[in-house]
Amino acid sequence: MKIILIRHAESTANADQILAGRLPGIELTENGLKQAESLISLFSTGLFAAIYSSPIQRCLQTAQIALDSQSLDIIENDFFLDVDYGSW
């Protein structure tokens, strides 16, 4: 069995050099969209039994693009949530 961990592609928070944590509304940048699309070939083999993702928007966005060719549903799991920095 192999477990493959992938971090989300570049987000607007990454581009702005801020820590987003669990902030809502942080999407992928144009570069991030291209990065996620570049993962499609890695996942095109169809050898995956399950796909898990953080419920954070930028993570789901990366997974949905990268796994476009898969017939598996993405299973959201809070175990993969980013740090909760709270209100600053």
Side-chain angles (χ1 to χ4, degrees):
M1 172 173 52
K2 288 184 183 179
I3 297 174
I4 299 173
L5 298 174
I6 295 176
R7 188 177 188 275
H8 62 78
E10 182 184 71
S11 70
T12 53
N14 298 134
D16 293 339
Q17 298 182 340
I18 63 168
L19 292 173
R22 297 181 186 180
L23 285 175
I26 305 295
E27 298 181 335
L28 298 183
T29 62
E30 287 296 320
N31 186 49
L33 294 170
K34 291 176 188 172
Q35 290 173 342
E37 288 172 1
S38 73
L39 294 171
I40 291 172
S41 63
L42 175 67
F43 294 105
S44 64
T45 60
L47 299 176
F48 295 93
I51 308 295
Y52 292 86
S53 174
S54 163
I56 293 175
Q57 181 178 358
R58 60 192 179 270
C59 299
L60 287 170
Q61 202 176 7
T62 300
Q64 289 166 345
I65 293 168
L67 301 168
D68 187 43
S69 64
Q70 297 292 309
S71 60
L72 295 171
D73 290 328
I74 297 169
I75 303 164
E76 294 181 34
N77 191 311
D78 289 351
F79 177 77
F80 299 106
L81 277 169
D82 203 340
V83 175
D84 186 359
Y85 296 110
S87 296
W88 289 29

